[in-house]
């Protein structure tokens, strides 16, 4: 089954502070291991909110707001799509990701499949 891990931005992410070389090496090693084992299907980090926009629809009215989103308490910093046997296994990967990336909060969500709605 597939799970999405979403890790949240930190002050460093929002300030566009890059990871240290040591942290990049740890992240690279974890990602390489996860790809080779067939667990990691996709994963990317995203730039700080200053490089993005937010589209809001309220009562049919569409509003576009350019970043940064200083008022937002939780912003996504990146995601991974995993193919694992269980939610527990996905949680173990989230714990490992937190250790190598420095993420302080990671959501673990099962990906909805068409078969879930049949």
């Amino acid at each position: 089954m597939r799970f999405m891990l979403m890790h949240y931005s930190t002050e460093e992410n929002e300030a566009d502070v890059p990871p240290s070389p040591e942290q990049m090496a740890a992240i690279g090693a974890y990602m390489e291991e996860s790809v080779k084992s067939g667990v990691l299907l996709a994963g990317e980090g995203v730039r700080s909110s200053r490089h993005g926009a937010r589209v809001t629809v309220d009562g049919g009215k569409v509003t576009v707001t350019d970043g940064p989103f200083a008022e937002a308490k939780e912003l996504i910093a990146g995601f991974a799509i995993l193919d694992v046997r269980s939610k527990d296994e996905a949680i173990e990967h989230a714990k490992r990701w937190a250790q190598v990336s420095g993420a302080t909060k990671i959501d673990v969500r099962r990906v909805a499949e068409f078969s879930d709605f049949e």
Side-chain angles (χ1 to χ4, degrees), residues 22-117:
E22 297 81 15
Q23 190 177 24
M24 285 298 293
I27 290 168
Y30 170 75
M31 291 184 75
E32 183 177 346
E33 175 189 330
S34 297
V35 167
K36 284 182 179 177
S37 69
V39 168
L40 181 63
L41 302 178
E44 300 288 340
V46 295
R47 298 289 309 269
S48 67
S49 67
R50 87 176 83 238
H51 301 283
R54 178 169 289 150
V55 177
T56 306
V57 180
D58 184 15
K61 179 183 176 194
V62 179
T63 305
V64 178
T65 306
D66 287 326
F69 308 119
E71 75 285 353
K73 294 184 180 186
E74 296 183 331
L75 296 167
I76 299 295
F79 74 93
I81 303 289
L82 308 180
D83 186 9
V84 295
R85 293 181 296 276
S86 66
K87 182 171 85 173
D88 288 339
E89 187 177 350
I91 290 169
E92 288 305 311
H93 279 277
K95 290 177 184 177
R96 288 186 59 205
W97 178 252
Q99 291 173 340
V100 300
S101 71
T104 59
K105 184 189 292 189
I106 300 174
D107 284 350
V108 178
R109 304 277 302 274
R110 185 160 176 219
V111 174
E113 307 286 352
F114 281 112
S115 60
D116 294 335
F117 304 105

